[in-house]
Amino acid sequence: MTKCLESPRPLRRWETKAWVEEAIWGHRFYNDQTPWLLLCELLAICADRARNGTSAIFPGLADGGHEDFHYRLPRRGALRHLLFRDRYLADSESIAASDASMWQDWLAKAKQASDFDFSYLQGRFASFDALRNAVELLRSAEIEPQRRRRWTSRHLVPQGPDMLLADYRETRSGSDSLDRRFFARGGELLFLMLNRSGRTAELEPLLRRRLLDANNRWNLLARQLQPAPDARGSDKMFDTSIGYLPMADHRAYRRLAEDWCRVLRLAALPDDSRLEPLMRLSGLAVVLYLTERACEELGRPMPALPLDMLSGETRALRKLSAEHLALHRQLAREAIDHRIDSICEKPEWRTALTSGNPARRAKELIAEIFVYDNKTGDRQDPERQLDELRRAVFANYDNHLGLVLGFYAEQIGLAVARRGVGRWYAASDGLLEALVLANVDGPVELGQFLMRLFERYRILVGPEAARSAFESLPIPLEQFKLNERRFEERLRVLGLAQRLSDDCAFVINPYHASEARAA
């Protein structure tokens, strides 16, 4: 196993009470940061490094050490106010009859309601109606509008660099500051994964061309609504530093980069359809990484992800799927327990137990290894101090990281949950399409495609993968056969599979086929 990298800064400077789950998975994945917000945070880092004229978006690991750099996130307060806070644009038509009076009325009210001077917009739009239509159109690009977050935490589907926004909170003093609730550093960890993937030479030009194109029509519209960068009182930038990812190398990094490269290489895939599969594949990368790292910590093989295709005939497989999802979540808890218990194997711990003051020495060791400050440790025996550490770690885990796997699985279409039944692995159409885009070039036989899903993601659908996953099948083989037939039916409905004969079905990537025809 690759050795963990040291943090680039003293651990006490991180926002954590104990350095346990962070040492296994990194700092940090957080349940309030959805997969869409992961993608926004990741691309904001890439856009800043590209905007600042850095020689490379991905710096690589310097002499085997952890990446240590600062990046800036734009507030884009004027744009955000127009999209998510202004209440007067839609009402101006009934208040004023002429175009000039509508401009005058709205500008006056906007000035009273905000700190922004929007007079620059009058020279950019032919009429007030044109401005209103532009704002309404860009509002339609908001991600997750149903969540109704505060206006400083609402974001746009990131179609270009001028659509990437910081996540921040307003303070009474007027000095806005970054908020780590929705941009919790999960996007930073994905950036670090890509940076360590060994695929950056291929990935970086694709990122610049496909995702950071300033001439994208959506991006041009967003830029039109913002003041010029060099204007008086131009937008504030928040400066921050990159997060911590423990492993220098990991198969999860390579898999994520390979998926991104395959999707971004599809020139026939419309720009508007590119980000959703990347969001789903990135969320899948987090789900798999959480379980893979837990298994590595425990020295156990990675269990399969039995994927139920939601057929009434495969109830036994559905139960197996639910059991495995619960197992994946339990593995993370066991990994934390194992990491805490590992201190007992250290010679320093055994020496502490036989020292003149074992309580004090145990407290010092726990503080040194886990960065945990037990205020009353001097008065507790070493075992009780470990129990106190465990309690504190799991209190935080149960409210945040412990919720990520199940929540992400649902958000990306890898799981469903039903009242009275629970949660189990089951694929949405969106996830099926993303998996095809990332794993199919030319037509591939269905059985080969299913084995590729098993080998790359441990996703288990049909009987061949089931034989590879289990020494003894836990449910009848017929359940897996029915599940595979249902999988093929779903792909055919989506236009992603063709059956050429009774014995031969192929999975196809329509965007790759379009590329081939165009060539």
Side-chain angles (χ1 to χ4, degrees), residues 82-142:
L82 284 171
L83 297 178
F84 308 131
R85 201 185 189 194
D86 182 272
R87 300 179 180 179
Y88 302 112
L89 269 174
D91 297 335
S92 296
E93 185 176 7
S94 60
I95 296 173
S98 71
D99 189 72
S101 57
M102 282 192 287
W103 275 109
Q104 183 179 8
D105 178 74
W106 176 72
L107 286 172
K109 289 183 175 179
K111 189 173 183 179
Q112 291 179 349
S114 73
D115 298 328
F116 306 108
D117 179 5
F118 292 107
S119 58
Y120 64 90
L121 294 171
Q122 200 162 4
R124 297 185 184 179
F125 291 90
S127 67
F128 189 76
D129 279 342
L131 168 64
R132 185 161 43 212
N133 292 337
V135 170
E136 286 301 316
L137 179 60
L138 202 57
R139 280 175 180 164
S140 70
E142 182 183 359

Side-chain angles (χ1 to χ4, degrees), residues 25-73:
W25 294 285
H27 187 275
R28 63 184 175 170
F29 292 115
Y30 197 81
N31 58 303
D32 280 334
Q33 185 171 21
T34 67
W36 268 117
L37 295 183
L38 277 180
L39 188 63
C40 288
E41 187 177 28
L42 163 60
L43 291 179
I45 301 168
C46 295
D48 181 68
R49 292 185 62 82
R51 177 175 55 245
N52 288 341
T54 307
S55 58
I57 290 176
F58 299 105
L61 286 172
D63 299 324
H66 195 287
E67 303 90 336
D68 189 7
F69 64 85
H70 283 247
Y71 66 93
R72 299 187 307 160
L73 296 174

Side-chain angles (χ1 to χ4, degrees), residues 311-331:
S311 168
E313 301 172 302
T314 55
R315 289 186 177 87
L317 193 147
R318 181 173 305 177
K319 180 181 178 182
L320 180 70
S321 176
E323 290 171 351
H324 275 66
L325 195 154
L327 170 62
H328 293 156
R329 296 183 66 184
Q330 180 61 28
L331 285 170

Side-chain angles (χ1 to χ4, degrees), residues 124-290:
R124 297 185 184 179
F125 291 90
S127 67
F128 189 76
D129 279 342
L131 168 64
R132 185 161 43 212
N133 292 337
V135 170
E136 286 301 316
L137 179 60
L138 202 57
R139 280 175 180 164
S140 70
E142 182 183 359
I143 64 169
E144 304 174 328
Q146 74 281 3
R147 294 187 180 275
R148 306 305 298 170
R149 300 185 181 99
R150 66 190 178 204
W151 73 286
T152 59
S153 291
R154 296 168 72 175
H155 294 267
L156 298 171
V157 175
Q159 297 279 4
D162 294 285
M163 300 177 71
L164 291 160
L165 321 170
D167 198 272
Y168 68 98
R169 59 177 176 267
E170 297 178 290
T171 62
R172 292 181 180 179
S173 64
S175 56
D176 300 336
S177 61
L178 279 177
D179 194 336
R180 287 301 185 182
R181 178 182 176 188
F182 299 120
F183 271 23
R185 298 189 184 272
E188 295 179 356
L189 299 194
L190 288 186
F191 176 91
L192 296 175
M193 288 181 180
L194 294 175
N195 184 54
R196 302 177 192 179
S197 67
R199 300 293 296 270
T200 56
E202 178 185 3
L203 179 59
E204 181 161 331
L206 290 170
L207 266 175
R208 291 180 183 271
R209 188 164 66 251
R210 305 287 192 215
L211 301 180
L212 301 178
D213 180 12
N215 293 317
N216 177 288
R217 59 192 177 90
W218 285 98
N219 190 75
L220 290 173
L221 178 59
R223 184 190 299 172
Q224 191 78 346
L225 292 172
Q226 300 177 60
D230 57 351
R232 182 181 179 184
S234 58
D235 215 5
K236 179 178 180 179
M237 303 286 284
F238 296 103
D239 185 88
T240 187
S241 56
I242 198 67
Y244 170 75
L245 185 69
M247 309 303 294
D249 180 54
H250 199 276
R251 60 180 174 271
Y253 310 166
R254 297 186 291 276
R255 183 175 57 225
L256 174 64
E258 288 164 6
D259 285 351
W260 272 58
C261 286
R262 283 179 170 270
V263 172
L264 293 177
R265 280 203 306 261
L266 296 171
L269 181 64
D271 289 342
D272 291 356
S273 303
R274 204 177 299 279
L275 287 163
E276 183 176 331
L278 289 178
M279 176 274 294
R280 295 183 189 278
L281 292 167
S282 299
L284 176 60
V286 173
V287 169
L288 294 174
Y289 173 73
L290 292 177

Side-chain angles (χ1 to χ4, degrees), residues 307-310 413-416 425-429 431-432 435 487 490:
L307 197 64
D308 173 42
M309 299 312 298
L310 299 176
L414 180 65
V416 296
Y425 289 120
S428 69
D429 290 347
L431 181 65
L432 292 178
L435 291 171
F487 182 89
R490 291 271 299 277

